Amino acid sequence: MLAALSSAALQGIAAEVVHVEVNAGEAGEPKLFLVGLPDTAVKESGDRVSAALNNSGRKAPRTRTTINLAPGDLRKEGPCYDLPIALGILLATHQLIALDADKYLIAGELALSGATRPVRGALAIARLAKQLGKRGVLLPPVSAHEAALVEGIEAIPVASLDQAARFLSGEIHLAPVAHAVALEQTAAPDANTGDFSEIKGQHALRRAVEVAAAGGHNLIMIGPPGAGKSMVAKRLPGILPSPTLDESLEILSIHSAAGQTLSGPAVFGRRPVRAPHHTISDVGLLGGGTIPGPGEISLAHHGVLFLDELPEFKRSALEVLRQPLEDGHVSISRSAGKVTLPCGFMLVAAMNPCPCGYLGDPKHECRCSPSQIIKYRARISGPLLDRIDIHIEAPALSIRELQNSTPGESSAVIRARIQAARERQLARYAGTKLTSNARMSHAQVRAHVPLDAPLSEMLQQAMEQLSLSARAYDRILKVARTIADLAASERVEQPHLLEAIQYRSLDRNVFY
């Protein structure tokens, strides 16, 4: 007998429908045959499914059984087809009668005992079910909690193959995970990252980080070892503004597709902070694989990508950041297909001023020759530096600053100012996809950052003296708009523009 169920395959961070067709009772050797471009993990489903059926009190087929995963030209990977294949076998061998099986998308890995295990991309599967007009999804409990974030569908948690079969046959009732319950699993700011009040001195650096976080601007910190660059970066998550609901769902979709949410129910409401090691490959940073998946820049979407010791990264890895920094998305083409992944991240980078790290330090003598310094800094190309909005120096701290016991502003106080500034931006860009000043287009910069004649002349002089590019011109205006938002000013005034200009002091001929 022929039976058919619906499942899904991940393509990037989206899902496509996969029809699981099972034909049992064929003449020939009693064996399961899987077709439809399955990978090794899918091919191994036959052994897992047979053991799960037997250990669930059901019978594995004793005739030749063909299982087709359609469409046949779409590559399938992972163990998520275990559950629909097992249920399809039960339907095809008359061990299960289910009238509503076609109203659900079904996915789940099976243990040999018949218990279910979570799968990647539950949120994408739920969105696909809603798009197809399905009643809901049948998923393992952890994945069902994640899928329940999609409103308007039923996310049915099934803990075992036997439970799924009895639910579809109408023997038992399983309540779907409530949408409100899933929304309650919201993360608070991470208290383990430390507080800004612990940072001694570095007032200019603290201010630059606050401006960057308020507008989502890219930032580079240059200073000697021990100046506090990494310490500031580790405390950055504590001042980031809360993501909107749409941003939270996008973040979760990417992390779900990458398998980052398999260990427990989905928790959202916190911006991601990724800090890859400088030995990372181009593919690890950008994304890819046989079936293209998200890399570090996509996992940092709506959050922060922190690159410590920036010149130590491979030149090729740094250069692949140029287009994603500009566009907010990256397209990856492989033999299995092409996917476009979102990557609207805030780049925060740190580096030493020279190979030994002590150029300009009054207490340590720099041992680097001019040619070594130029070669070291040349690892950061001009086009990449152009795309970084804020350049800030982090000088070495004096003993007096280190011994100062007066605490600075706490992360909570700074975060309140940043949140207020981000809310002004959300109100300004209502009705568009923009959520921060850093993502303004050229036309939007002209519309939202008008300059009078004196300010225009001031900016023109700065552009000429610093030999800045046209790209830097727009980025100065974006930063000035954020500074004005922090000051609760409707217009960009002279102090806001001057502060934005001084954040380009390390650009072009000065830097090199």
Side-chain angles (χ1 to χ4, degrees):
M1 179 181 174
L2 177 66
L5 295 170
S6 296
S7 188
L10 276 180
Q11 296 293 298
I13 63 169
E16 292 188 29
V17 67
V18 171
H19 301 285
V20 180
E21 301 170 339
V22 180
N23 189 54
E26 305 173 26
E29 181 185 1
K31 188 177 179 181
L32 293 178
F33 292 89
L34 268 165
V35 296
L37 278 184
D39 73 348
T40 303
V42 179
K43 290 177 181 178
E44 291 173 348
S45 292
D47 295 327
R48 288 193 298 272
V49 166
S50 295
L53 286 169
N54 290 327
N55 290 322
S56 299
R58 314 280 174 160
K59 294 180 181 179
R62 296 190 176 133
T63 58
R64 176 188 170 98
T65 302
T66 303
I67 300 161
N68 179 38
L69 305 178
D73 60 349
L74 179 66
R75 191 175 295 276
K76 323 300 185 306
E77 67 168 355
C80 65
Y81 305 105
D82 291 2
L83 183 58
I85 288 174
L87 292 172
I89 289 174
L90 293 179
L91 286 169
T93 56
H94 304 286
Q95 298 181 67
L96 172 64
I97 299 175
L99 300 178
D100 294 336
D102 61 339
K103 296 180 180 178
Y104 296 92
L105 288 186
I106 304 172
E109 179 183 351
L110 288 178
L112 299 184
S113 63
T116 59
R117 290 173 176 157
V119 294
R120 295 188 297 121
L123 198 61
I125 295 172
R127 284 178 164 172
L128 176 63
K130 185 175 182 180
Q131 178 185 335
L132 295 175
K134 300 285 187 180
R135 178 186 295 174
V137 292
L138 257 66
L139 296 168
V142 168
S143 300
H145 276 79
E146 182 181 317
L149 292 169
V150 178
E151 197 171 7
I153 66 154
E154 296 180 0
I156 307 296
V158 289
S160 66
L161 168 60
D162 182 62
Q163 191 179 58
R166 290 193 292 146
F167 169 77
L168 289 177
S169 65
E171 294 180 31
I172 61 172
H173 171 73
L174 295 176
V177 180
H179 177 66
V181 171
L183 287 177
E184 288 175 0
Q185 298 167 4
T186 304
D190 192 352
N192 297 323
T193 58
D195 196 276
F196 261 75
S197 62
E198 300 165 352
I199 298 172
K200 306 294 184 181
Q202 299 295 10
H203 301 292
L205 177 58
R206 288 162 58 100
R207 170 64 176 176
V209 170
E210 179 179 341
V211 172
H217 302 287
N218 302 321
L219 168 77
I220 184 169
M221 303 175 284
I222 301 181
K229 304 184 296 295
S230 298
M231 187 177 184
V232 168
K234 288 178 181 178
R235 282 150 181 77
L236 182 58
I239 65 171
L240 291 175
S242 300
T244 64
L245 179 59
D246 288 341
E247 286 177 335
S248 295
L249 290 175
E250 276 192 272
I251 293 168
L252 188 58
S253 293
I254 297 169
H255 284 247
S256 175
Q260 303 279 317
T261 60
L262 298 182
S263 58
V267 178
F268 70 107
R270 183 185 297 158
R271 294 185 183 272
V273 177
R274 308 291 298 186
H277 193 261
H278 61 77
T279 56
I280 190 171
S281 66
D282 301 5
V283 172
L285 195 60
L286 192 68
T290 305
I291 298 179
E296 289 292 329
I297 62 173
S298 293
L299 292 171
H301 185 55
H302 291 314
V304 174
L305 179 69
F306 176 52
L307 302 182
D308 201 4
E309 303 296 342
L310 187 65
E312 302 302 328
F313 283 80
K314 292 191 301 182
R315 180 67 178 263
S316 59
L318 293 180
E319 293 308 303
V320 299
L321 292 176
R322 287 160 54 175
Q323 181 260 335
L325 281 171
E326 195 74 22
D327 300 337
H329 60 81
V330 59
S331 296
I332 303 173
S333 296
R334 296 290 185 272
S335 59
K338 177 181 178 181
V339 298
T340 298
L341 300 170
C343 56
F345 59 93
M346 169 184 162
L347 174 64
V348 176
M351 63 177 288
N352 295 328
C354 65
C356 77
Y358 293 114
L359 179 66
D361 190 329
K363 298 177 183 177
H364 298 84
E365 182 181 354
C366 176
R367 303 184 301 272
C368 306
S369 67
S371 61
Q372 287 177 317
I373 295 173
I374 292 173
K375 184 178 179 181
Y376 178 76
R377 293 191 174 190
R379 296 178 187 177
I380 316 300
S381 67
L384 178 60
L385 196 64
D386 246 1
R387 290 167 168 82
I388 300 179
D389 305 4
I390 298 176
H391 312 157
I392 188 70
E393 289 184 271
L397 295 174
S398 65
I399 298 298
R400 179 172 295 180
E401 287 175 312
L402 289 173
Q403 291 178 339
N404 185 9
S405 60
T406 305
E409 280 188 313
S410 68
S411 294
V413 173
I414 299 173
R415 188 174 188 269
R417 285 200 301 268
I418 291 173
Q419 189 68 46
R422 190 60 70 94
E423 287 172 0
R424 293 186 186 96
Q425 294 167 50
L426 291 173
R428 180 183 304 123
Y429 306 129
T432 70
K433 293 183 178 180
L434 281 181
T435 58
S436 64
N437 290 330
R439 291 292 162 190
M440 282 192 288
S441 66
H442 181 76
Q444 289 166 329
V445 170
R446 294 291 174 271
H448 296 296
V449 196
L451 298 180
D452 54 26
L455 292 182
S456 294
E457 184 177 352
M458 180 192 303
L459 183 53
Q460 179 182 346
Q461 292 176 356
M463 295 288 295
E464 293 172 352
Q465 291 177 12
L466 295 175
S467 302
L468 301 179
S469 67
R471 182 180 288 114
Y473 182 91
D474 272 2
R475 293 189 180 276
I476 288 173
L477 293 179
K478 293 176 185 179
V479 174
R481 179 64 267 173
T482 299
I483 296 169
D485 287 336
L486 282 168
S489 173
E490 290 299 322
R491 292 183 59 84
V492 172
E493 306 291 347
Q494 184 182 28
H496 310 144
L497 185 60
L498 286 173
E499 184 179 351
I501 290 172
Q502 63 96 15
Y503 288 137
R504 306 297 302 191
S505 61
L506 300 176
D507 209 349
R508 291 294 180 178
N509 56 345
V510 178
F511 182 77
Y512 292 109

